[in-house]
Amino acid sequence: MSILKIDNLRATYHTSNDSMTGVDGVSFELEAGEKIGIVGESGSGKTTLLRSILKLIPEQKATLQGSVMFEGRNLLSLDDKELEGIRGSKISIIPQNSAVSLDPVYTIGKQLEETVRLHTDFDVGKCREQAKDLLGKVGLGLNVFDAYPHELSGGMRQRAVISLAIASNPVAILADEITSGLDVIVQDQILDLLDTLQNQMGTAIILVTHDISLVAERCKKIIVMYTGKAVESGYVRDVLRQPSHPYTMLLLRCLPDLDSVTDLVSIPDATTFQKVEGCRFHPRCPFVQSLCSEQEPKIWEANNGQRVACHFAKESAPEFRKLVKGTK
């Protein structure tokens, strides 16, 4: 069953001289209990996509178009008052910087109590009891209840932020770079915690990350974004084993592999993130042809549901993969 259905979502930022597209025509569905990973370089529109879903970008800064269907309603057509019963209650977001996500002048317990109070009709005592239970769910002791954010480590703060996100048992969580700035061991602990909570609560998750290996291990589906567009998407097993877009292929070849005898490759300079005609990746693509700079590619969909925005994906993807794999 589909929890969220995003169709042709666009976010256009307004600047003093021009407009800039943060998200350009992204479409996908999030099923109940599944986890989708979104990957791409910095500036590819991953965070903007999450914020657009919950309409968290001020109207004076950007125009949102398309639809985000949730429980039969388009979230983009709702005003802030109508969204109050959805944001944080049915759909939660875990921001990427836990250090600035928590109020520094209130204790963790106070912030949890306030969050529970906002989403329930519990009395003060019940809110306090629920807040302590939430700390236990994320593996924090009761000593954290009266602690201030600056007294906690990065991993503990991230667990506290997750406890805020699950306070109302949401049906979907939007997790934005939740392991950023954490060491490898703590990263695994946080991701294991998220997996455990997902299994217990049946929550669907959209996981934004720079680390494509995390998506390979933890997610069912993947969306690869480049300058606001979803250039490739599908089931993780299909996209990572048989990538069809040159950008996806190069991202995978940037990862070290102890079993591989081929060298790592680097993607050409990203200064071409400026507006370009045709395919946005063509200034950096090793397989560019004249059509790529003249016409924007349409989405090609394979039988397994894999979707690719490349003029030559259908006919040439196997040859592309061989060439990228052999790149020195």
Side-chain angles (χ1 to χ4, degrees), residues 38 79 252 258 285 293:
I38 301 179
D79 57 31
L252 291 171
L258 296 179
C285 182
S293 60

Side-chain angles (χ1 to χ4, degrees), residues 62 97 115 147-148 188 224 233 237 283:
N97 191 342
T115 301
Y148 289 89
D188 277 344
V224 181
S233 61
R237 64 174 183 269

Side-chain angles (χ1 to χ4, degrees), residues 42-43 46-48 50-51 93-101 154 158 161 174-182 208-210:
S42 295
K46 304 184 299 297
T47 296
T48 301
L50 292 193
R51 294 178 63 82
I93 187 167
I94 306 175
Q96 60 180 290
N97 191 342
S98 62
V100 299
S101 302
Q158 193 61 276
V161 171
L174 313 182
D176 188 8
E177 294 282 2
I178 62 172
T179 58
S180 178
L182 302 177
V208 162
T209 179
H210 284 91

Side-chain angles (χ1 to χ4, degrees), residues 28 42 259 289:
F28 67 95
S42 295
D259 297 324
Q289 299 184 35

Side-chain angles (χ1 to χ4, degrees), residues 157-198:
R157 281 198 302 267
Q158 193 61 276
R159 288 174 183 267
V161 171
I162 293 174
S163 70
L164 292 171
I166 66 171
S168 59
N169 293 317
V171 297
I173 294 176
L174 313 182
D176 188 8
E177 294 282 2
I178 62 172
T179 58
S180 178
L182 302 177
D183 65 67
V184 176
I185 294 176
V186 177
Q187 283 184 20
D188 277 344
Q189 291 173 350
I190 295 298
L191 292 169
D192 287 344
L193 169 62
L194 202 63
D195 288 345
T196 300
L197 293 172
Q198 182 179 24

